[in-house]
Amino acid sequence: MVNNGQTETAALVAMLSERAAVNVRLALVAHAQQWRLHHGQVALDDDAPVKARAWRYSTATFLELRLPGPTVAALVRGDDQDVHGLHVVSPDLTSSTASTYRLRGQEEWDRVTTPWPRTEWTVNRDINAPQPGHGLLVGDGPSFLNFDQALSAFLHQRPHDNNAGRSDLWRIVQPQRAGWLSQITIGPDLLTAVVDGDALDGAVLELSWAADNQLHSVDGAGTYCFPLPHGLAHDSLLMLRREDEWLDWRSFPAPAYGRARDASVVWEQPGPELDILLANGEGKHLECKQEVPEGDSRKKMLKTIAAFASQDGGTVLIGVRDDLQIVGLPEKPTVDKQELQVVGMIRDSVEPAPPYESRVIEHDGKKVLAIEVSGGGQMYAYRDRDSQRPEFYVRVGPNTVPARHHEIAAGFRQAPTATTF
């Protein structure tokens, strides 16, 4: 099985040629009275039914359909083809190799997440190729402000963001369903893994950590348990493998603060998770507050949330002292009211609305409020209630500091509204 690296495009063309049919999404732009391929996605998945769609506009067309493998192979090779009543001009490849990525289950890449692992190949577009226009798209399909929005909606059914400004001409996806971890439950003294898959003969499930490892032979889809007499060790790795080939895996390091949570991992008792969160202390991605802040402390927390969102995310824990002692939220007002109070602060003082989740973690009878902020891919401002002036901040180690002019400018250049093809 191919790992991360490079694959000869000739090998991809040969692989496509051998398939009777594949599912394809094509984004075409009108250029010099021709339909030129701007981006194509191929799913090498015979189990996934295709939902045939065609959005047609005067300057762009978006197609989703099932095509013969040799037809798609010819398009990837750079040969023009007739597709759905259109003559499609496919650009010549600028490289003889494609970038190769092998992704575990539940791993998001380019806005796609699947329960099972997958291999993806991308072929870059010529940066000098003609680009789509930016006018309104009105025609036989939903109306959009511009090509960017239409492409994001067609590929992901989600609003446009800076990931829609793609540099790849082709993206080819192949699911790997030999075996995968569909759910992991972590308790205080037991890890339970649910294994699924189509070809599990000879597979082994391994839980490893710095001091030791445990092995389980896998005799088919089902549930497998690992005792944890001392709890889950930091930096543990759960691996489903066959000899020296991995099928799927999950790692449990100190959490990546503010990042999307893995839906396949359930912490049965959140206490151990909070211990891991606090293991490295306050820093670039973690801020602790003893209670819901007021006054200057309130401003500092909101500035930190804006900084987390402007960079690569972070977590604010309320109910934890600066020395990392867990004191819990006070009994009054209720936890729900305290959470709503923080949510209201964020809504009133951080613009635009930052990407975050709030949740309550229980630990030894105490409750801690976690505000998990994801990196938003743009600059977020703290707006002072008195001056109403927007202020921009970044995180430097454990400190929140005013952003410099070049940091603010860079943040706005990468914002979704500034993205161009």
Side-chain angles (χ1 to χ4, degrees):
M1 187 181 298
V2 177
N3 285 304
N4 293 354
Q6 299 291 317
T7 300
E8 294 291 329
T9 51
L12 293 178
V13 170
M15 178 174 62
L16 291 167
S17 299
E18 294 173 355
R19 291 186 169 256
V22 294
N23 297 341
V24 181
R25 292 174 178 172
L26 302 176
L28 312 174
V29 296
H31 177 69
Q33 299 183 336
Q34 296 177 324
W35 286 106
R36 186 177 180 87
L37 177 70
H38 177 77
H39 175 71
Q41 290 192 357
V42 182
L44 305 178
D45 189 356
D46 294 333
D47 295 334
V50 65
K51 177 184 176 182
R53 292 183 295 162
W55 297 352
R56 295 175 180 266
Y57 311 94
S58 60
T59 58
T61 293
F62 302 88
L63 301 175
E64 181 172 5
L65 68 169
R66 194 162 175 83
L67 289 177
T71 300
V72 180
L75 286 171
V76 173
R77 191 169 51 236
D79 299 338
D80 300 351
Q81 295 289 301
D82 292 325
V83 177
H84 205 66
L86 302 176
H87 185 71
V88 177
V89 176
S90 184
D92 294 331
L93 298 180
T94 59
S95 172
S96 61
T97 62
S99 298
T100 307
Y101 308 89
R102 190 169 169 217
L103 306 168
R104 64 169 176 81
Q106 294 294 344
E107 183 172 1
E108 181 176 0
W109 185 68
D110 194 18
R111 309 182 83 186
V112 173
T113 304
T114 58
W116 44 80
R118 64 194 191 273
T119 301
E120 302 203 6
W121 298 270
T122 58
V123 179
N124 284 341
R125 184 190 316 116
D126 182 356
I127 60 173
N128 297 315
Q131 301 302 300
H134 298 281
L136 287 165
L137 293 186
V138 181
D140 188 9
S143 299
F144 294 97
L145 286 174
N146 51 50
F147 182 91
D148 293 11
Q149 288 194 357
L151 180 62
S152 185
F154 191 79
L155 295 181
H156 308 294
Q157 294 77 56
R158 289 166 61 181
H160 165 64
D161 70 8
N162 59 327
N163 289 327
R166 346 186 40 93
S167 62
D168 49 333
L169 176 65
W170 286 101
R171 179 182 183 189
I172 301 170
V173 182
Q174 182 174 44
Q176 307 289 351
R177 295 198 183 94
W180 71 91
L181 301 165
S182 57
Q183 182 170 300
I184 300 101
T185 302
I186 301 170
D189 56 6
L190 189 71
L191 184 148
T192 304
V194 179
V195 177
D196 207 341
D198 301 333
L200 290 166
D201 293 346
V204 172
L205 196 59
E206 177 185 10
L207 179 64
S208 60
W209 59 100
D212 205 351
N213 72 333
Q214 298 182 44
L215 293 173
H216 251 311
S217 295
V218 175
D219 53 11
T223 301
Y224 299 85
C225 298
F226 291 92
L228 303 173
H230 306 292
L232 182 69
H234 295 177
D235 295 321
S236 294
L237 174 66
L238 182 65
M239 178 78 68
L240 179 64
R241 61 180 175 86
R242 183 185 292 109
E243 297 179 347
D244 61 351
E245 174 190 52
W246 67 264
L247 303 178
D248 199 5
W249 58 271
R250 298 291 187 278
S251 64
F252 308 100
Y257 306 109
R259 302 297 173 83
R261 299 174 60 79
D262 187 337
S264 69
V265 179
V266 177
W267 294 83
E268 198 170 61
Q269 292 192 3
E273 183 190 17
L274 188 57
D275 290 336
I276 295 176
L277 277 167
L278 294 172
N280 292 333
E282 284 191 302
K284 183 178 180 181
H285 301 288
L286 182 65
E287 176 91 3
C288 297
K289 297 291 182 185
Q290 182 170 334
E291 58 188 5
V292 176
E294 296 291 341
D296 289 341
S297 183
R298 173 184 180 274
K299 291 182 180 180
K300 181 180 178 183
M301 182 190 73
L302 293 168
K303 292 173 181 178
T304 296
I305 289 173
F308 283 158
S310 298
Q311 294 175 292
D312 54 355
T315 296
V316 176
L317 294 177
I318 303 176
V320 180
R321 295 194 321 218
D322 289 343
D323 61 3
L324 306 184
Q325 293 300 307
I326 300 170
V327 296
L329 296 168
E331 294 184 1
K332 294 183 179 180
T334 66
V335 171
D336 288 345
K337 286 185 177 179
Q338 292 178 71
E339 184 174 8
L340 286 174
Q341 185 181 357
V342 173
V343 169
M345 291 179 187
I346 298 172
R347 181 185 62 243
D348 294 341
S349 302
V350 182
E351 297 179 355
Y356 77 96
E357 292 184 8
S358 63
R359 63 188 181 102
V360 176
I361 301 175
E362 295 192 14
H363 186 280
D364 292 339
K366 301 171 182 176
K367 295 182 179 181
V368 173
L369 177 60
I371 307 298
E372 298 177 316
V373 186
S374 301
Q378 66 179 75
M379 292 302 292
Y380 290 78
Y382 165 74
R383 188 177 290 277
D384 184 82
R385 286 188 298 181
D386 297 327
S387 69
Q388 289 298 304
R389 182 180 70 249
E391 302 172 6
F392 298 94
Y393 293 87
V394 295
R395 195 75 169 168
V396 178
N399 301 311
T400 299
V401 300
R404 297 177 179 178
H405 291 301
H406 73 272
E407 292 170 324
I408 298 173
F412 279 107
R413 279 197 299 270
Q414 68 179 0
T417 54
T419 301
T420 58
F421 275 75

